[in-house]
Amino acid sequence: MKIREINAMRGPNYWSVRRHKLIVMVLDLEEMEELPSNKIEGFPERLKAMFPSMYSHRCSEGCAGGFFMRVDEGTWMGHIIEHIALEIQTLAGMDTGFGRTRGYGEKGVYSVVFSYMEESVGRFAAKAAVRICEALIAGEAYDLTDDIQEMRELREADRLGPSTGSIVEEAEARGIPWIRLNKYSLCQLGYGANQKRIQATVTSETSSIGVELACDKEDTKYLLEQAEVEVPRGDIIRRERSLEEACDYVGYPLVIKPIDGNHGRGITVDIQNYEDALAAFHHAKESSKSGAIIVEKFIVGQDYRLLVINNKLVAGAIRTPAHVIGDGTSTVQELIDKVNSDPRRGFGHENVLTQITVNELTKTIIKDAGYTLDSVIAEGERLILKDTANLSTGGTAEDITDIIHPSNVSMAERISKIIDLDICGIDIMTTDISKPLSETGGAVLEVNAGPGFRMHLAPTSGLPRNVAAPVIDKLFPQKGDTGRIPIIAITGTNGKTTTSRLMAHIAKMNGYRVGYTTSDGVYIQNRLLMTGDCTGPASAEFVLKDPTVNFAVLECARGGLLRAGLGFKKCDVAIVTNVAADHLGLKGIHTIEQLAKVKGVVPETVLPDGYAILNADDDLVYDMRRSLDCNVALFSMDENNPHIKALQRLNGITAVYENGYVTICRGEWKMRIMKAENIPLTYGGKATFMIQNVLAAVLGAHVQGISIEDMKAGLETFIPSAAQTPGRLNLFEFKDFTILLDYAHNPAGMRALQNFTDELEATVKVGIIAGIGDRRVEDNNEMGAIAADMFDEIIIRQDKRLRGKTEQELIKMLDDGIKKRDPNKKTTIIPSEKEAIKYAVKNAVKGSLIILCSDVIPDALELVKKFKEQEARGELNYAD
């Protein structure tokens, strides 16, 4: 078995538009194709023995044990690998169960799709599943232990922490989209100009002064003392010679800690004498960046954490460090093992509690208590194993929110305002949180910026608290605010880029700050920031991350969809221009119906109150409406199209070309925008395929509330040119000839171009064409045949986009198509595009039209512009 490729789907894709993150693996079974599971001796038995838990897999049978039924009956190895990949993730603590395996269109090759929680784990599971299956086939032993641990470690390294994860989950539950901005905990909630950011539990609205204060324990304590908040008596020192005086001033017992420490580093508590204080001082020095050390009174009591969000107390917990309780017979290590056997304890953050690890600090604490790991401690005696009560080190937490005394609640909320933190954790030591600190002798020990939520989300005992909700309430205070910006997604075979550019232009004319993606780059407010084919999810995310953008227009091509899904989960409007045979035979897509299914994913992502705008003249596009859960609007070049008429009778929205006008209809009421011949993009109405693009764009603008006046302004100022529509019907008038540059790169595009050029007068029409390596032989043959109909002379060039083919192969495909249509057609072969253009210009006769079909627009445009500049100076040099 061989893995051809593994891709991660981060958003909706053609397999499913559910909220799954999917791994898509193309698996070549090679010689295993003719060996289904029941034909390999002992294979079903070995699989069941290794994965008895797979009995829960219902598979297509729809009942427990369904998958094993399929194995016994005989199923292909790709299907088995799908289930193994899901099961080993579940065994590693990631319960995920969506999977599909489908034929790729080649004998013995399958697309294996399964869900993941962390991409790195999903990729690892794909490769591990193949290794495991190969071992099962060979009857070899396979130990899962290392794989399971590796997946756990990958997850802990890559996953969002409990605090960040809870905020993201709450955002998702409210329909707020999010993007992870780095490999740590920096996340964006919402899109574009409406975004908010979080990093763990620090938000984009958190005061930097508040964070600085919380990180400076000296300033925090000073401000709280000034505000008459109970804090321990203490002193700040930097040198050892000041230690004794500070100890005498504060009085034993003491706590010594670094002023800029965190997570409990460098802290020593319950110091009873100067000798221990000296050791604690040096320990704190090791963890201090500034060298400043706090010496303060050790307060007797229990460790409480109060969580305040937006100046309101939302939760409280009592924390206990990792510990064991003696039974009089077990060793310390045996007691730790017993505690770790609690099913609630897991690796890292995978469970409610974390397993207690024995490190050097633990051994030191045990030694200081007079024990070793082999010691037996008395029944009922508690042995503390860590120096902090953090859950991440094995500590426990109990929710006490409902018993906090109102005085302490008021104090905590007041502290959040004093320190100026929108989210803060306040550490309190007291014997009884249900009484005011003034009565118990308790004190506020610390104020924390970015406090952890885990102890409140999943306490060891007591009521869990949804502390993420008030964070989202603060960031998005308006009811129903999702932080979204309008997203217009555009797909289809031809016309996507022009429609995207026109839609973006109309939105910009309406005052929006627009970001848009196209096949030639990413633009923010018409500034080109990324070049190349930018129609995939990474480019979409680029726009949606930009904090200046409040309107997004995203071109979505099949390549990005098949490779990595979409860069968004939901859009407001989806436009499907058409579906024609293009790129067939790639990535398992072999028929136009399959291609339509891929492109149909885009309208499936439209929000329920949004619009899918479909081409009513294309039956494959029109049929997409059947799987949609949103409004549908239609456009057509024929106002009498029966699909249009049917929707109009239902009072639906349509756009039609009628009596020479581009017209929007609500029901059967017409709202004429302008004559097509007055729209520059249509070249006086001659470019009918451009009229179709205009219909789609104005319909998109209309459902977004853009007025007809603003549409007209946009249409009138959108001039077909190298600047606004690079590579889309760019006409360059020279003294004796004309050059038309267009991106036509498939048979449907060539036919549309032919319809336009047939309307143009010329003494001779010269075409420069090229084959494309990722098209089928018959597609390139057809391109040649169409060229034979279009042009009086043909120049075949082939120096770009070979994509696995040779120049000679592609040239032959085109030439074969030309010769089949017209054996006598004048044809010249010049492989270099640059040289082909020079040749055509040099040999142009007066009144000729040179039609350049280019798939690498910038290079061709640069050369043609250079010729224009030279002609303007009277020094046109074809050899330069």
Side-chain angles (χ1 to χ4, degrees):
M1 284 180 281
K2 179 174 64 178
I3 298 174
R4 288 190 182 177
E5 62 178 283
I6 299 175
N7 293 313
M9 295 282 185
R10 298 174 182 83
N13 54 82
Y14 75 104
W15 289 90
S16 167
V17 293
R18 303 179 195 177
R19 286 167 54 176
H20 292 300
K21 297 183 291 184
L22 303 178
I23 292 295
V24 179
M25 171 171 56
V26 179
L27 181 66
D28 189 343
L29 298 183
E30 299 174 308
E31 71 277 4
M32 292 304 303
E33 162 61 11
E34 301 303 325
L35 283 174
S37 54
N38 63 345
K39 298 297 183 183
I40 302 171
E41 186 176 353
F43 179 86
E45 290 73 24
R46 290 193 291 272
L47 179 66
K48 294 173 186 177
M50 188 171 189
F51 296 107
S53 53
M54 276 193 186
Y55 183 77
S56 64
H57 291 213
R58 303 171 69 85
C59 203
S60 57
E61 301 297 324
C63 61
F67 171 62
F68 283 149
M69 293 179 194
R70 295 289 305 279
V71 172
D72 290 336
E73 294 167 359
T75 188
W76 53 85
M77 289 301 150
H79 182 208
I80 291 170
I81 285 168
E82 168 208 324
H83 280 266
I84 292 175
L86 290 170
E87 186 61 20
I88 59 177
Q89 290 185 87
T90 299
L91 292 173
M94 288 156 278
D95 191 6
T96 183
F98 177 81
R100 295 286 186 273
T101 299
R102 296 290 185 268
Y104 191 72
E106 299 177 29
K107 185 178 175 60
V109 182
Y110 294 92
S111 285
V112 179
V113 178
F114 59 87
S115 54
Y116 66 86
M117 296 178 72
E118 297 297 331
E119 182 179 327
S120 60
V121 176
R123 289 181 179 273
F124 181 91
K127 297 174 183 177
V130 173
R131 294 195 301 267
I132 293 166
C133 196
E134 288 175 334
L136 287 168
I137 291 168
E140 298 171 351
Y142 193 99
D143 188 353
L144 285 172
T145 305
D146 289 343
D147 286 348
I148 298 300
Q149 185 59 26
E150 177 73 12
M151 286 189 284
R152 284 176 167 172
E153 292 177 3
L154 285 171
R155 177 196 53 200
E156 289 305 308
D158 293 352
R159 73 186 295 186
L160 293 172
S163 301
T164 312
S166 69
I167 298 172
V168 165
E169 287 174 9
E170 180 66 23
E172 277 198 323
R174 301 188 190 194
I176 299 170
W178 68 282
I179 301 173
R180 191 170 185 174
L181 298 178
N182 64 12
K183 64 180 182 179
Y184 303 110
S185 58
L186 180 62
C187 294
Q188 171 184 318
L189 308 180
Y191 287 148
N194 294 335
Q195 67 180 268
K196 304 289 185 180
R197 292 183 180 182
I198 59 169
Q199 183 162 283
T201 59
V202 175
T203 77
S204 49
E205 297 184 357
T206 298
S207 162
S208 59
I209 293 177
V211 173
E212 288 291 327
L213 283 173
C215 291
D216 188 325
K217 294 178 175 59
E218 183 177 12
D219 276 353
T220 297
K221 186 176 180 181
Y222 175 77
L223 288 177
L224 295 183
E225 280 182 323
Q226 296 300 305
E228 295 296 327
V229 174
E230 289 88 348
V231 294
R233 188 178 205 186
D235 197 4
I236 309 294
I237 63 173
R238 286 176 170 78
R239 298 176 180 81
E240 182 182 325
R241 65 173 178 263
S242 304
L243 177 62
E244 187 171 5
E245 181 181 350
C247 292
D248 291 341
Y249 165 70
V250 175
Y252 296 103
L254 301 171
V255 175
I256 294 181
K257 56 186 176 182
I259 198 168
D260 50 7
N262 54 45
H263 300 296
R265 296 186 183 97
I267 298 176
T268 306
V269 301
D270 199 13
I271 300 167
Q272 299 288 346
N273 54 62
Y274 182 72
E275 182 180 343
D276 291 342
L278 186 60
F281 174 83
H282 290 296
H283 178 55
K285 274 285 189 180
E286 293 174 1
S287 300
S288 175
K289 296 178 183 178
S290 64
I293 305 299
I294 295 177
V295 180
E296 67 182 16
K297 189 72 174 180
F298 176 62
I299 306 297
V300 177
Q302 292 177 298
D303 184 359
Y304 291 90
R305 164 64 64 84
L306 305 186
L307 179 64
V308 180
I309 299 176
N310 201 19
N311 308 128
K312 295 292 183 182
L313 187 136
V314 297
I318 182 170
R319 303 184 297 171
T320 305
H323 65 278
V324 292
I325 298 175
D327 59 9
T329 58
S330 302
T331 66
V332 172
Q333 183 63 64
E334 288 170 342
L335 292 171
I336 293 173
D337 294 341
K338 184 177 180 181
V339 170
N340 283 338
S341 67
D342 185 338
R344 295 177 299 170
R345 290 190 181 270
F347 181 80
H349 297 304
E350 69 181 3
N351 286 347
V352 173
L353 299 173
T354 299
Q355 290 193 343
I356 300 171
T357 57
V358 177
N359 54 20
E360 290 304 316
L361 174 61
T362 305
K363 293 177 181 177
T364 299
I365 292 172
I366 294 172
K367 181 181 178 182
D368 291 344
Y371 298 111
T372 69
L373 289 171
D374 296 322
S375 300
V376 175
I377 57 177
E379 184 174 356
E381 182 180 344
R382 173 182 290 191
L383 176 62
I384 300 297
L385 302 173
K386 301 290 181 180
D387 60 350
T388 69
N390 295 339
L391 269 66
S392 59
T393 60
T396 59
E398 176 187 353
D399 178 74
I400 47 82
T401 306
D402 295 331
I403 67 168
I404 304 172
H405 193 278
S407 173
N408 296 332
V409 171
S410 176
M411 174 195 69
E413 293 174 350
R414 185 164 168 258
I415 288 172
S416 72
K417 292 185 178 181
I418 293 170
I419 305 302
D420 190 23
L421 284 174
D422 59 344
I423 303 174
C424 69
I426 301 167
D427 293 338
I428 294 175
M429 186 69 70
T430 182
T431 55
D432 189 349
I433 197 68
S434 67
K435 297 178 180 178
L437 294 191
S438 58
E439 294 182 12
T440 62
V444 174
L445 303 183
E446 198 167 344
V447 179
N448 299 275
F453 284 0
R454 186 182 177 193
M455 71 186 77
H456 309 295
L457 295 165
T460 313
S461 60
L463 189 66
R465 307 284 173 169
N466 182 8
V467 294
V471 176
I472 299 299
D473 290 340
K474 182 183 189 305
L475 295 176
F476 300 94
Q478 298 299 318
K479 186 176 181 180
D481 183 3
T482 61
R484 300 179 58 85
I485 61 174
I487 296 176
I488 315 298
I490 300 173
T491 193
T493 301
N494 299 104
K496 298 186 299 295
T497 298
T498 300
T499 305
S500 297
R501 286 179 170 276
L502 178 57
M503 184 73 242
H505 180 75
I506 293 172
K508 185 181 177 186
M509 294 296 290
N510 197 52
Y512 286 106
R513 300 186 300 278
V514 184
Y516 60 100
T517 67
T518 70
S519 57
D520 53 68
V522 176
Y523 297 79
I524 304 295
Q525 282 294 83
N526 282 353
R527 292 187 178 275
L528 179 62
L529 298 184
M530 292 176 67
T531 58
D533 187 347
C534 296
T535 56
S539 303
E541 281 198 353
F542 182 92
V543 169
L544 298 175
K545 288 176 184 177
D546 193 292
T548 68
V549 170
N550 63 8
F551 196 102
V553 180
L554 307 175
E555 181 179 343
C556 304
R558 52 159 292 286
L561 272 167
L562 294 173
R563 183 178 62 256
L566 293 168
F568 56 90
K569 288 184 177 177
K570 293 291 182 181
C571 64
D572 299 273
V573 176
I575 297 173
V576 186
T577 59
N578 53 29
V579 178
D582 193 22
H583 295 287
L584 298 183
L586 298 175
K587 293 189 177 293
I589 304 303
H590 298 272
T591 68
I592 192 171
E593 289 76 18
Q594 289 176 321
L595 183 60
K597 188 175 181 182
V598 173
K599 295 185 181 295
V601 164
V602 178
E604 288 178 8
T605 66
V606 176
L607 291 161
D609 58 349
Y611 276 85
I613 297 175
L614 306 178
N615 184 350
D617 297 332
D618 187 319
D619 288 339
L620 287 172
V621 176
Y622 180 67
D623 283 346
M624 292 177 186
R625 77 193 189 286
R626 301 181 188 278
S627 61
L628 304 183
D629 183 25
C630 64
N631 300 302
V632 173
L634 301 175
F635 64 93
S636 172
M637 294 293 290
D638 176 12
E639 68 169 322
N640 294 312
N641 180 306
H643 303 323
I644 293 289
K645 288 297 185 182
L647 185 58
Q648 288 178 346
R649 285 193 293 271
L650 296 173
N651 203 37
I653 301 175
T654 58
V656 294
Y657 179 50
E658 51 86 27
N659 294 317
Y661 283 90
V662 169
T663 300
I664 289 176
C665 303
R666 280 200 170 256
E668 297 181 348
W669 292 98
K670 294 179 179 179
M671 296 176 285
R672 285 178 171 171
I673 298 175
M674 60 190 300
K675 271 189 170 291
E677 64 184 31
N678 296 329
I679 300 173
L681 187 61
T682 71
Y683 285 92
K686 294 185 179 73
T688 55
F689 62 95
M690 285 298 189
I691 299 175
Q692 191 176 69
N693 295 335
V694 170
L695 291 172
V698 298
L699 204 48
H702 179 68
V703 299
Q704 277 295 295
I706 295 175
S707 69
I708 288 178
E709 289 74 18
D710 285 330
M711 287 185 221
K712 289 180 66 174
L715 293 173
E716 290 170 344
T717 56
F718 191 72
I719 311 298
S721 63
Q724 286 195 314
T725 58
R728 275 70 182 176
L729 294 189
N730 299 155
L731 270 172
F732 296 87
E733 299 282 353
F734 288 79
K735 180 180 178 182
D736 295 326
F737 58 89
T738 301
I739 294 179
L740 172 64
L741 191 154
D742 193 78
Y743 185 62
H745 61 292
N746 55 45
M750 285 288 284
R751 288 194 191 94
L753 181 62
Q754 181 184 9
N755 292 335
F756 173 63
T757 57
D758 284 351
E759 298 291 318
L760 302 180
E761 295 294 330
T763 56
V764 63
K765 294 177 182 177
V766 179
I768 302 176
I769 65 172
I772 299 181
D774 59 0
R775 302 300 198 283
R776 300 171 301 176
V777 173
E778 55 263 43
D779 295 328
N780 282 309
N781 289 163
E782 189 176 357
M783 292 275 284
I786 297 170
D789 292 336
M790 289 177 66
F791 309 124
D792 301 302
E793 300 176 18
I794 300 173
I795 300 172
I796 302 177
R797 60 92 182 163
Q798 198 63 63
D799 60 338
K800 307 283 175 65
R801 298 203 177 189
L802 299 178
R803 294 176 176 176
K805 302 286 196 310
T806 65
E807 288 184 9
Q808 293 73 25
E809 287 173 328
L810 289 170
I811 290 171
K812 185 178 185 304
M813 292 177 200
L814 290 172
D815 198 40
D816 287 348
I818 295 168
K819 294 290 192 296
K820 187 174 180 180
R821 184 63 57 89
D822 185 352
N824 300 315
K825 181 67 65 176
K826 182 179 179 181
T827 304
T828 305
I829 297 172
I830 305 175
S832 165
E833 180 180 65
K834 185 176 181 180
E835 295 304 318
I837 297 171
K838 288 181 179 179
Y839 175 86
V841 170
K842 184 177 182 179
N843 292 281
V845 300
K846 190 173 182 64
S848 63
L849 172 63
I850 300 169
I851 302 166
L852 172 56
C853 300
S854 177
D855 55 347
V856 184
I857 299 302
D859 296 347
L861 276 175
E862 183 180 359
L863 182 58
V864 174
K865 287 178 180 178
K866 184 177 180 180
F867 286 155
K868 282 292 291 181
E869 292 167 1
Q870 289 177 344
E871 185 184 65
R873 297 195 301 267
E875 52 186 43
L876 184 57
N877 183 358
Y878 308 113
D880 187 7

